[in-house]
Amino acid sequence: MTQAANPQVNAQFEVWPGKAYPLGATYDGTGTNFALFSEAAERVELCLFDDDGSGNLTETRLTLPEVDGFVWHAFVPNIEPGQRYGYRVHGAYDPAAGARCNPNKLLLDPYAKAIEGTFEWNQSLFGYNFGDPDSRNDDDSAASMPKCVVINPYFDWGVDRPPGHEYADTVIYEAHVKGLTQTHPDIPEQIRGTYAAVAHPVIIEHLKSLGVNAIELMPVHHFVNDSTLIEKGLSNYWGYNTIGFLAPDPKYSSSPNPGGHVQEFKAMVRALHEADIEVILDVVYNHTAEGNHLGPTLSMRGIDNAAYYRLVDDDKRYYMDYTGTGNSLNVGHPHTLQLIMDSLRYWVTEMHVDGFRFDLASTLAREFYDVDRLSAFFELVQQDPTVSQVKLIAEPWDVGPGGYQVGNFPPQWTEWNGKYRDTVRDYWRGEPATLDEFASRLTGSADLYENTARRPVASINFVVAHDGFTLRDLVSYNEKHNEANGEDNNDGESHNRSWNCGVEGPTDDPEINALRARQQRNFLTTLLLSQGVPMIAHGDELGRTQQGNNNVYCQDNELSWIDWASADSDLIEFTRSVSGLRAAHPVFRRRRFFSGRPVRQRGGEKLPDIAWFAPDGSEMSDEDWESGFAKSIAVYLNGHGIPDLDVRGQRVIDDSFVLCFNAHYEPIEFVLPAEQFGTAWVPVINTAAAGDEEAERYDASAKVSVDARSVLVLQSAPADEK
């Protein structure tokens, strides 16, 4: 649709005072209340857009008559769901002072619950003239802007309820809506790549078969497709470029109706909840798509630039950038904090999601300059009766000074444990001096979390995430291969802690391919049997490859999508078996850290809740831990030493296990623990055998050969099965 000229002003619409709360557009059955915060505004116009019947949009401008506490508001009777709208804000334009109001720029409502259309990149979207950033551009942007849409808030949730999984029992699956579903042959073509596809039974059945009970969706807030990527023939695939914090992005909807985007998202959540799967959203509150001082004027910049963004103190035409994207939201301003909190509450109460993963969360902790875990944002979350009760996962770093904050977030938060990722990668690629830290990561990273009153579940364990190599590529490439991104392979992380097993990329060498398959099983076994909360990246259980590209943020194509036709069925079955072992045995899902102290057993004797052994069967000494060349270790997990209670208040009792890890390039003979730890042991996982474990039982103190670069998991056997 094109934009009609000569907008009408205050034509045919009644305008009542309305209310300053809630912010945004709120339909009540008789009309719609509009409310917009702007301390910088001198006048605010609500712009209503309607189809004139010939493919053009007519614009009607209504001046908001009331302002209370810097919130401009009005109630317009008979405005119904489906109404397109935007704002024009009149006020000062003085970039050097941080003011960038310009009524010639149509602005998106920060509280819009649905947004329709795309950005048509041209000069009109920018507040300055190209080539002269100190000038002012007054081209009208309405024809090139998407429009906000009033939605119908009503939805039949039926008996929907949050699954409410305990962290210790949670297995997270990080996924991209489109990347997960775009090529699945059993999903109807018309809904592939959408919210409806995620809710399709074949996806739900796959997740359930893996033991997944929480899906973490990469950004679904309405985001901008960058002009620089479009010019290269690429697009913003990942979506970390938000412009609407309450609106689900229509690119992932099969419905042509903007209100249908919201309904489809809700239906997806309802279907996942019916399958006992939680929905966690990856959210980007640290910056917006408006970028730095050379970015477009799309929403908050033109509404109240100094309130919404952190500006450089001694020259307010520039933006503080802790995110590497051009700007940082001003979380020190009460209305910006309100926007974030209102958004979080909306997604919980109205969209029924179960938690959030906060992108570059350290930025939200920067009260002034330094990272402060007692910042206003965390205080608000702590006291909020809704937001404080869902899963809160921090990506505990940003690109600013002191931004790497793994282990330093408040007690109710969990964290993506980057140190877990790095240590486990280093161990399995054979780096020296990793044994003691590997042991710490395997047992929940007490060194990071125990001193702050947190438990093992504070650690979201992952080896692979969306940003970086896939699991298959991690064992197939030493170097990134990002040429398709058009940046001469300069983008993406260069230090991947990967190992190609001897050849870069695909090979026909059967020994190398066998080693790569074993290494993938090693990583999955380590991940799923570590204390803490495991997170699997979508497709890693299928053997997904990105052909060595470790930064597919701009690759919305077969390179980044899961290729379901090439799925590794053996790896899928292996992942299911290890995940099933985790689910069946609470010794792998402890809610408290190991103490190492003796615990009374059924027979009356006392054994530690955990014990570490060198391959010769002796308990690890300080000298063993400090040996930089050691690559092999066994750990005993005492199933009678779990300090947790079940829902009835009964002590949790489980079988005991011995896990033998061998990252050495040759087989190692392990001596199993002495009889006091268990009289007989049965192998249940052997990453070298890929599911073909022998039925053999091993006596206490028996010698067991563990293949090169493999894990052997043994379970205690009852005495009569010896």
Side-chain angles (χ1 to χ4, degrees):
M1 294 183 177
T2 58
Q3 184 69 40
N6 302 318
Q8 305 174 57
V9 179
N10 293 335
Q12 91 250 19
F13 289 98
E14 293 185 61
V15 180
W16 299 353
K19 296 181 179 179
Y21 187 86
L23 290 161
T26 307
Y27 173 69
D28 70 356
T30 64
T32 302
N33 190 83
F34 295 90
L36 178 77
F37 160 76
S38 177
E39 189 172 352
E42 297 169 1
R43 182 162 65 95
V44 174
E45 290 179 304
L46 169 67
C47 306
L48 303 176
F49 296 89
D50 295 283
D51 188 346
D52 67 0
S54 62
N56 293 322
L57 289 180
T58 61
E59 177 183 354
T60 301
R61 299 182 187 177
L62 309 176
T63 297
L64 298 186
E66 300 289 335
V67 56
D68 293 300
F70 304 115
V71 175
W72 303 76
H73 56 91
F75 182 87
V76 186
N78 302 319
I79 293 293
E80 297 185 342
Q83 175 67 58
R84 305 175 183 92
Y85 74 98
Y87 290 105
R88 296 180 185 272
V89 174
H90 298 254
Y93 184 85
D94 184 0
R100 294 181 180 267
C101 296
N102 186 338
N104 297 297
K105 310 303 174 186
L106 184 73
L107 305 172
L108 296 175
D109 181 359
Y111 280 79
K113 298 179 179 68
I115 299 173
E116 178 187 45
T118 59
F119 296 92
E120 298 178 13
W121 291 101
N122 56 54
Q123 173 70 82
S124 71
L125 296 182
F126 295 79
Y128 63 93
N129 296 295
F130 292 159
D132 185 6
D134 292 325
S135 64
R136 169 173 165 149
N137 175 272
D138 285 334
D139 294 346
D140 194 296
S141 67
S144 302
M145 285 285 293
K147 310 298 184 291
C148 306
V149 181
V150 177
I151 69 160
N152 185 341
Y154 306 107
F155 179 78
D156 183 6
W157 283 103
V159 295
D160 181 71
R161 62 177 182 80
H165 296 301
E166 295 288 338
Y167 268 119
D169 301 327
T170 301
V171 176
I172 298 174
Y173 190 83
E174 187 199 26
H176 186 282
V177 171
K178 187 173 185 180
L180 174 64
T181 64
Q182 183 64 25
T183 72
H184 201 296
D186 296 330
I187 296 176
E189 287 190 28
Q190 65 270 23
I191 68 167
R192 291 179 187 173
T194 69
Y195 306 121
V198 175
H200 193 277
V202 296
I203 296 297
I204 290 178
E205 289 167 9
H206 178 70
L207 297 177
K208 295 285 287 183
S209 76
L210 296 172
V212 167
N213 52 18
I215 186 169
E216 182 179 302
L217 295 178
M218 290 176 65
V220 298
H221 289 176
H222 196 101
F223 65 90
V224 174
N225 201 355
D226 317 49
S227 61
T228 54
L229 293 177
I230 294 173
E231 291 168 0
K232 295 179 181 179
L234 302 170
S235 63
N236 190 316
Y237 170 64
W238 282 349
Y240 292 93
N241 205 28
T242 306
I243 198 64
F245 292 131
L246 284 81
D249 198 289
K251 289 186 280 293
Y252 304 135
S253 175
S254 61
S255 172
N257 176 5
H261 310 160
V262 179
Q263 301 289 310
E264 185 174 332
F265 183 93
K266 290 179 176 179
M268 175 194 71
V269 174
R270 183 178 60 191
L272 289 165
H273 281 183
E274 287 174 357
D276 203 33
I277 298 173
E278 296 180 333
V279 179
I280 299 170
L281 299 187
D282 191 339
V283 289
V284 187
Y285 294 115
N286 53 74
H287 74 281
T288 77
E290 291 186 296
N292 64 16
H293 64 290
L294 299 179
T297 298
L298 310 175
S299 180
M300 302 178 209
R301 170 172 283 146
I303 294 171
D304 196 328
N305 185 56
Y308 282 114
Y309 296 114
R310 298 197 61 171
L311 307 179
V312 175
D313 288 337
D314 55 1
D315 193 344
K316 295 186 182 298
R317 80 186 69 204
Y318 300 114
Y319 296 77
M320 298 296 294
D321 181 12
Y322 298 116
T323 64
T325 59
N327 66 49
S328 303
L329 273 185
N330 183 12
V331 291
H333 192 282
H335 279 279
T336 305
L337 277 173
Q338 181 184 357
L339 170 61
I340 295 173
M341 295 304 298
D342 285 349
S343 169
L344 293 170
R345 277 189 292 268
Y346 174 78
W347 286 97
V348 175
T349 60
E350 297 297 322
M351 307 296 261
H352 286 206
V353 305
D354 305 283
F356 305 95
R357 177 266 187 190
F358 293 80
D359 179 64
L360 300 181
S362 292
T363 301
L364 301 174
R366 291 184 183 274
E367 184 85 352
F368 298 103
Y369 179 79
D370 294 324
V371 176
D372 178 8
R373 71 174 189 162
L374 300 178
S375 69
F377 171 69
F378 293 120
E379 291 174 353
L380 287 175
V381 169
Q382 176 75 34
Q383 66 186 0
D384 190 280
T386 298
V387 178
S388 65
Q389 298 307 301
V390 301
K391 287 183 168 66
L392 301 171
I393 304 171
E395 182 185 32
W397 51 79
D398 64 17
V399 301
Y404 193 77
Q405 292 291 317
V406 173
N408 291 329
F409 273 68
Q412 71 187 124
W413 287 70
T414 63
E415 302 174 6
W416 270 25
N417 190 344
K419 292 186 178 181
Y420 179 95
R421 171 201 60 206
D422 296 345
T423 301
V424 172
R425 288 187 179 193
D426 280 347
Y427 175 75
W428 283 115
R429 69 189 179 115
E431 285 294 292
T434 58
L435 207 57
D436 56 347
E437 188 166 4
F438 177 75
S440 178
R441 303 297 157 245
L442 188 72
T443 54
S445 296
D447 58 321
L448 299 177
Y449 303 115
E450 190 170 26
N451 290 335
T452 54
R454 290 194 277 177
R455 295 185 175 182
V457 294
S459 179
I460 305 297
N461 298 329
F462 68 105
V463 175
V464 165
H466 68 273
D467 189 1
F469 282 144
T470 67
L471 184 61
R472 179 175 168 184
D473 289 354
L474 185 68
V475 301
S476 304
Y477 295 90
N478 284 351
E479 308 296 334
K480 63 185 179 182
H481 296 269
N482 299 355
E483 289 80 7
N485 297 352
E487 299 182 40
D488 296 324
N489 205 34
N490 291 317
D491 63 301
E493 176 60 60
S494 296
H495 184 44
N496 294 285
R497 290 183 160 90
S498 61
W499 178 48
N500 64 17
C501 298
V503 173
E504 187 75 355
T507 179
D508 294 327
D509 187 317
E511 291 187 5
I512 290 178
N513 285 330
L515 175 56
R516 288 175 175 176
R518 187 159 70 251
Q519 285 285 74
Q520 290 176 76
R521 295 192 291 270
N522 290 336
F523 280 121
L524 287 167
T525 301
T526 305
L527 173 67
L528 288 167
L529 300 187
S530 292
Q531 304 298 323
V533 182
M535 184 184 78
I536 303 169
H538 78 189
D540 279 348
E541 78 285 5
L542 308 169
R544 183 173 78 92
T545 179
Q546 293 172 172
Q547 300 173 29
N549 192 316
N550 72 355
N551 190 32
V552 294
Y553 78 102
C554 58
Q555 299 293 332
D556 187 3
N557 51 50
E558 290 83 357
L559 184 64
S560 60
W561 305 336
I562 289 178
D563 180 6
W564 287 92
S566 300
D568 183 338
S569 58
D570 290 338
L571 188 59
I572 295 173
E573 287 305 315
F574 180 83
T575 306
R576 290 169 177 166
S577 67
V578 182
S579 180
L581 184 68
R582 176 188 179 86
H585 293 283
V587 74
F588 299 115
R589 299 178 281 108
R590 290 169 53 105
R591 289 166 170 79
R592 291 172 175 81
F593 289 108
F594 291 100
S595 69
R597 293 189 294 271
V599 179
R600 188 173 300 280
Q601 310 297 292
R602 279 179 178 160
E605 72 276 17
K606 289 187 176 183
L607 291 174
D609 57 3
I610 188 171
W612 300 93
F613 297 93
D616 64 5
S618 62
E619 293 201 42
M620 290 285 288
S621 65
D622 291 343
E623 184 178 349
D624 292 329
W625 285 117
E626 294 168 2
S627 174
F629 58 84
K631 299 291 182 294
S632 306
I633 194 170
V635 58
Y636 162 79
L637 305 180
N638 187 347
H640 291 249
I642 303 172
D644 305 328
L645 302 178
D646 64 20
V647 293
R648 298 179 301 278
Q650 302 298 309
R651 182 183 169 204
V652 175
I653 300 293
D654 193 10
D655 295 329
S656 297
F657 287 82
V658 172
L659 285 67
C660 301
F661 295 90
N662 180 23
H664 190 54
Y665 59 82
E666 293 180 334
I668 293 288
E669 192 170 67
F670 280 77
V671 176
L672 295 182
E675 187 171 350
Q676 70 209 60
F677 291 94
T679 58
W681 300 93
V682 182
V684 289
I685 298 289
N686 185 352
T687 63
D692 301 323
E693 299 81 15
E694 300 176 0
E696 183 178 359
R697 262 62 167 175
Y698 295 102
D699 292 330
S701 301
K703 294 181 179 180
V704 180
S705 180
V706 178
D707 286 331
R709 297 189 173 97
S710 71
V711 185
L712 178 65
V713 180
L714 301 115
Q715 182 176 353
S716 58
D720 59 0
E721 292 187 16
K722 179 179 173 182

